[in-house]
Amino acid sequence: MSELALSDEILMGIEKPARYIGNEVNMVRKNPNDVDIRFCMCFPDVYEIGMSHLGIQILYDTFNRRDDVYCERVYSPWPDLDRVMRDKNIPLFSLETQSPVKDFDFLGITLQYEMCYTNILQVLDLSGIPIYAKDRTLDDPIVVGGGPCSYNPEPIADFFDVFYIGEGETRYDDVFECYKAMKDDGSSRVDILHAISKIPGMYVPSMYEVSYNEDGTLASFEPIHEDVPRTVTKEVVMDFNDVHYPEKPLVPFIQVTQDRVTLEIMRGCIRGCRFCQAGMIYRPTRQKDVNLIKDYAVKMIRSTGHEEISLSSLSSSDYECLKEFTYFLIEEMGNQHVNISLPSLRIDAFSLDVMKKVQDIKKSSLTFAPEAGTQRLRDVINKGLTEEVILNGAMQAFHGGWNKVKFYFMLGLPTETMEDAEGIPALCERVAEAYYDIPKDQRNGKISITASSSFFVPKPFTPFQWAAMLDPDTYIERAHHVKDTFRQQLNAKSLKYTYHESYVSVLEGVFARGDRKLSKVIYDAYKSGCIFDAWTDFFDNDKWMAAFEKNGIDKEFYTTRERNEDELFPWDFIDIGVTKRFLLSEWKQAKKGVVTPNCREKCSGCGAAKFGGGVCFERGK
Amino acid sequence: MSEETYKIRIKYAKMGVLKYIGHLDLMRFFQKAVKRADFDIAYSQGYSPHQLMSFAAPLALGVTSEGEYFDAQFNSLIPSDEFVRKFNEQMVDGVYVKDVILLPEKAKKAMSIVAASDYVITFKSEDDLDFTDDNKTEKRKVSDIADKKKKILEVVPYLLEKETIEVFRKTKKNEKVEDIKKGIYKLEVRKDNIYMFLATGSEYNLKPESVLEALCNEAGVEYNKFDYHIHRIETYYKNEDNNLVSLLETGERII
């Protein structure tokens, strides 16, 4: 029996001990003494969530291809184990070798959502690594952040040594070489970080100084050394067909959130919805060669034994060879009893045909994400979906036997009025009416429509980065009004409406566009007991409010304040290719309700073409 | 799926860290292993076909075993040795397939015929115990265990001489005192460990923990489930002659 970090008594006393023992199929084994660099990759949430994340699987595979690097994993211990570890002073350990995280050269933390920030502090704390980067020594790992939230890393800048801005596949080799050369040559920690800060894509917060205006907005953001770059350009994979992809992903023992093969077919999105950060930061849109992904699909099913394969992209319908690939999968996977799951498909004749083949109509539902209730507001957010398209798609589906529909909306979008809010129940009602217009013998019983709305959070690097977030009371009022309006519809019995609570969204709103002043708040919230904030059972709003109060931080400064066009943002030092000028013109177009065509219809000159590839050059321009 | 399928029985061991993997997760592990090995397993009919596979007596979390079984239906056969080799290419540390046999056409499922299992219970050594919490009242000393062990091993040979062996048993509804003597077929000391042969399955199911509890009661020591490690050796069924024999004897190896 291999040595485990936790004793039998502990493992038998906690929920799901399998979260902490490693040993999964396709786990990489190396002798840590045989490598130069030990890298611990962390998803700061529970194992089942972290193991479902594609990005870590890609980097785990990429790093471990190097003979001089051993990449292991760690996830947040669930509160039951967290308590035991604190009680007994057990240091946090990696799954592969069950050895202390503190002994690693690097601790890489993926930042997928703002509500994981206290879990980052939990991981550092349990590892025995000083929470603030300034307190660390050469004995501590270099703590690197990456992922979507690193596009505004400022609220957590004080906790990290380095942020990797952009796509992880491209630049780690340079970081490893730099570290390898310096780790034993007498260089100080500061020297190493200084050297890393000169590698493209790397942001070392301690190499920059910020100052604020009297009103709290950012006055300046400057490197402290001349040789540290003023702007950090995001890293982006431009040869999307010649980049590592894990052919043998890890297969967990216990059921995880995404218990299937995930195959990335495309990165980026041509649509340009104005609320969507992913749609901007992953530009330009790049597709994988269809023959390449066919090959991956077969290999990955073979190497994992998974019974389901799922496609990953922001908008699968925009993948140009989707038809060819989907029919290939149906043919190939059907024989092997592998299910196919196709998220984010536009409802049309093709997708309905596919859904009919791969799903049980009785159990499956149609999903639409109009995001806003009226055409006016959909134009504001640049969501191309029209009511006509929704009704046409729905009618085709109803004739095909479907009778369940799901709608996703947002409330609190810029320029939203009561009329827009009332448009949500009105749209659902019209879909229900259209259903009942079908003669009884041609439809499949009663229709069931479920609509839900979330509280819109303006994000950096979107045209709405200047926008005010709605205040939570008005949001709740509006949600109540929508709910009441639903009850007044003719087909109210077929309609169901739910809305998200406001507290978590407000915090997301603060951190999404926050600055370095917020690190104290996160620290104090953590110290008062906040962890697993993304989990309703553990989220404690009062503790958070107390932490804001204690530090004299006004949440509204970050949320409900509309920004001036010339305001310097904490994330402006990052260059994502898409220019601030383009985002500003989109913000102005939004306020006028003017739509912008998608990247394939017409190039709008967003700036992402500077990377020299992807959709920007698809037509051989 | 062709009409005719072959029923095979797989014997496997679940050791080491695999003891922390629950029964359902281990089933999923084997389903995936079968797919990775590209075996010609048969699937059920219907909208969401599943592999025709069924497991014998489930093993509790924390228990290891070298006598576990599951049945599967295959469309075609390969020799037992090849089955074993191909399975073991897909295993991880702690779990391995020991043998594969072909069952007669009319064979009943392993689950329904399991009648007994035997176990060896070892006392934990210092290494296995958690001594990190020095300030806690739960602190236990190695000498405590050694002392307990001595007292328990003393009563092992005499327990079955008692007219009744009563322990508290938890059922879904309540706790009640039950006489477990009829479920203990053998109980003896072997090389300083406890060997027990117990009724298992649908007719009468006795867990080794219950016997350990009875032994503790008899020896006058406190029962603590973390003092022991339980290991199942083999799973048995009752053959036509009413003898308890290994489930591996229900069929023939495939040559």
Side-chain angles (χ1 to χ4, degrees), chain A residues 324-442:
Chain A
E324 178 186 341
F325 184 56
T326 312
Y327 287 124
F328 166 83
L329 280 185
I330 291 173
E331 172 99 21
E332 191 72 17
M333 298 296 145
N335 295 334
Q336 300 181 40
H337 303 280
V338 173
N339 297 317
I340 302 163
S341 100
L342 299 165
S344 67
L345 275 195
R346 247 193 326 274
I347 305 293
D348 56 23
F350 160 68
S351 62
L352 289 171
D353 176 55
V354 169
M355 283 162 71
K356 229 181 243 180
K357 290 188 169 122
V358 303
Q359 299 173 339
D360 185 351
I361 296 177
K362 274 185 236 119
K363 286 181 197 153
S364 68
S365 55
L366 301 170
T367 304
F368 294 98
E371 311 292 1
T374 59
Q375 196 56 48
R376 185 200 74 79
L377 192 54
R378 285 193 292 273
D379 290 346
V380 168
I381 63 176
N382 205 38
K383 183 88 194 182
L385 199 56
T386 63
E387 183 165 326
E388 199 190 339
V389 170
I390 294 170
L391 280 171
N392 278 342
M395 284 306 275
Q396 286 182 53
F398 295 154
H399 282 290
W402 271 272
N403 62 1
K404 290 191 198 70
V405 186
K406 269 191 229 161
F407 280 110
Y408 290 107
F409 295 98
M410 286 188 277
L411 273 180
L413 287 162
T415 78
E416 184 180 272
T417 62
M418 254 336 170
E419 199 190 331
D420 296 313
E422 287 165 357
I424 293 173
L427 176 62
C428 295
E429 169 66 19
R430 281 195 291 278
V431 172
E433 283 171 10
Y435 180 80
Y436 289 115
D437 282 345
I438 301 171
K440 219 173 180 173
D441 57 331
Q442 288 166 41

Side-chain angles (χ1 to χ4, degrees), chain A residues 282-331:
Chain A
Y282 294 115
R283 284 186 179 208
T285 303
R286 290 143 289 155
Q287 312 184 74
K288 283 217 158 128
D289 179 76
V290 67
N291 291 314
L292 188 69
I293 56 174
K294 282 179 186 173
D295 187 45
Y296 278 138
V298 173
K299 281 183 179 156
M300 290 171 78
I301 285 295
R302 175 60 61 86
S303 72
T304 59
H306 274 305
E307 294 186 314
E308 187 169 335
I309 185 166
S310 159
L311 307 188
S312 164
S313 78
L314 290 166
S315 169
S316 300
S317 296
D318 294 323
Y319 178 67
E320 287 180 309
C321 300
L322 186 71
K323 253 188 206 180
E324 178 186 341
F325 184 56
T326 312
Y327 287 124
F328 166 83
L329 280 185
I330 291 173
E331 172 99 21

Side-chain angles (χ1 to χ4, degrees), chain A residues 541-554:
Chain A
N541 197 49
D542 293 344
K543 282 186 182 147
W544 274 105
M545 293 307 109
F548 278 105
E549 186 128 351
K550 186 182 161 194
N551 290 288
I553 299 273
D554 174 19

Side-chain angles (χ1 to χ4, degrees), chain B residues 61-158:
Chain B
L61 208 66
V63 178
T64 56
S65 170
E66 54 197 305
E68 294 303 291
Y69 290 89
F70 70 89
D71 295 347
Q73 292 184 44
F74 275 66
N75 296 316
S76 63
L77 291 179
I78 52 176
S80 291
D81 288 340
E82 205 165 321
F83 261 127
V84 172
R85 184 180 60 78
K86 282 189 153 185
F87 260 119
N88 286 335
E89 281 170 6
Q90 304 304 331
M91 297 294 109
V92 294
D93 273 8
V95 59
Y96 57 95
V97 166
K98 301 184 76 171
D99 214 346
V100 173
I101 53 165
L102 177 65
L103 301 177
E105 216 174 301
K106 294 265 157 61
K108 285 184 186 156
K109 280 183 180 165
M111 196 194 310
S112 63
I113 60 168
V114 169
S117 320
D118 55 353
Y119 303 88
V120 60
I121 317 292
T122 48
F123 289 82
K124 282 187 187 168
S125 64
E126 191 175 0
D127 301 344
D128 304 324
L129 291 172
D130 183 32
F131 292 109
T132 47
D133 52 337
D134 288 336
N135 306 314
K136 298 279 146 78
T137 46
E138 341 156 1
K139 182 187 172 189
R140 294 189 290 128
K141 293 198 192 102
V142 191
S143 56
D144 289 350
I145 293 226
D147 184 49
K148 272 189 182 179
K149 178 175 174 176
K150 197 172 146 248
K151 288 180 175 160
I152 292 169
L153 290 184
E154 267 166 23
V155 300
V156 166
Y158 308 107

